[in-house]
Amino acid sequence: MSAPITVDIWSDIACPWCYIGKRKFEAGLAEFEGRDDVEVTYHSYELSPDTPVDFAGTSVDFLVKHKGMPAAQVEQMLGQVTGIAAEVGLDYDFGSVLQTKTLKAHQVLHYAKSQGLQLEYVERLFKAYFEQGKHVGRDEELADLAAEVGLDRDAVLAVLASGEFADAVNADIDQARAYGISGVPFFVINGKYGVSGAQAPEAFTGVLEKVRAEESSNA
């Protein structure tokens, strides 16, 4: 029995490249023969911690304000990202995206991890945010989405009210800082190899194969 290979992924629900990177990683993992021995964990990262829960405006308005870029340039950039997302089967709709603070979503992701449903919930959040124009910053909406993947809705509301997982979110963010992570997605394989960004699937397959070969030679 091989020891599991760990993949720790720092990402943010409001990060378009993180959802694309998720799909590319999944494609790379599917090509890895030892895929059943890979343990994937998502970790918290806030791209824009100062984002209000209810941002009054569009994604274009948000990026113009936060990046200081002209609207036309932002629209062109979002168009390019939408095209890249489509290449991996994602249907981005930036016109309906509701910009929001993602801190509470990260807290629920930690709760979902404790219940063995983190991977299902992170997928649901990404789809809700980028494809369905849902609000992922409010307690009630987060609880509704959690219930869809099998989590207890009332338990999610209780977790958010208590702030039970706030320290876990902060620990993830501190760990990202310690690793020198300045952008997401960022993948740490077996605690030793880092892969930055939405790389091609074969890049992930290659690192996984490298780790497995090293494990075999050290066995």
Side-chain angles (χ1 to χ4, degrees):
M1 178 71 182
S2 302
I5 295 174
T6 59
V7 179
D8 294 284
I9 306 171
W10 272 262
S11 78
D12 192 8
I13 296 306
C15 163
W17 292 107
C18 291
Y19 200 10
I20 293 168
K22 182 178 188 293
R23 282 292 182 273
K24 291 192 173 188
F25 167 73
E26 289 164 348
L29 178 63
E31 294 300 313
F32 176 56
E33 287 187 3
R35 55 188 171 275
D36 292 339
D37 297 325
V38 176
E39 294 180 356
V40 179
T41 303
Y42 276 82
H43 296 274
S44 310
Y45 191 94
E46 272 197 295
L47 277 177
S48 301
D50 58 341
T51 306
V53 172
D54 294 297
F55 177 77
T58 65
S59 291
V60 173
D61 296 331
F62 179 82
L63 289 168
V64 166
K65 179 181 177 184
H66 275 256
K67 304 285 189 184
M69 297 162 58
Q73 187 179 349
V74 170
E75 288 171 358
Q76 181 184 18
M77 181 182 72
L78 293 181
Q80 290 173 338
V81 173
T82 299
I84 293 168
E87 292 172 5
V88 293
L90 301 175
D91 185 20
Y92 279 12
D93 181 9
F94 282 107
S96 69
V97 165
L98 299 174
Q99 301 284 163
T100 187
K101 187 171 179 63
T102 56
L103 195 63
K104 287 189 172 183
H106 286 301
Q107 291 180 25
V108 184
L109 277 168
H110 275 277
Y111 170 69
K113 178 187 172 186
S114 76
Q115 302 299 306
L117 288 168
Q118 190 191 47
L119 299 185
E120 291 82 356
Y121 191 53
V122 75
E123 173 67 27
R124 186 67 192 95
L125 287 174
F126 274 132
K127 184 176 184 65
Y129 185 78
F130 283 109
E131 297 187 339
Q132 299 175 330
K134 292 182 181 289
H135 201 305
V136 300
R138 298 185 190 134
D139 294 19
E140 295 288 336
E141 281 85 344
L142 289 169
D144 286 344
L145 293 169
E148 289 184 25
V149 300
L151 291 164
D152 184 288
R153 189 179 189 282
D154 291 337
V156 169
L157 291 173
V159 159
L160 289 170
S162 69
E164 178 182 346
F165 290 95
D167 287 346
V169 172
N170 290 333
D172 275 354
I173 293 170
D174 288 344
Q175 182 64 66
R177 197 173 293 119
Y179 276 146
I181 297 170
S182 58
V184 286
F186 195 91
F187 304 77
V188 178
I189 292 87
N190 251 25
K192 61 190 293 190
Y193 294 108
V195 178
S196 179
Q199 300 286 337
E202 52 267 27
F204 295 109
T205 309
V207 176
L208 291 166
E209 288 174 345
K210 180 180 176 69
V211 168
R212 178 47 45 85
E214 288 175 354
E215 283 187 347
S216 298
S217 65
N218 292 333

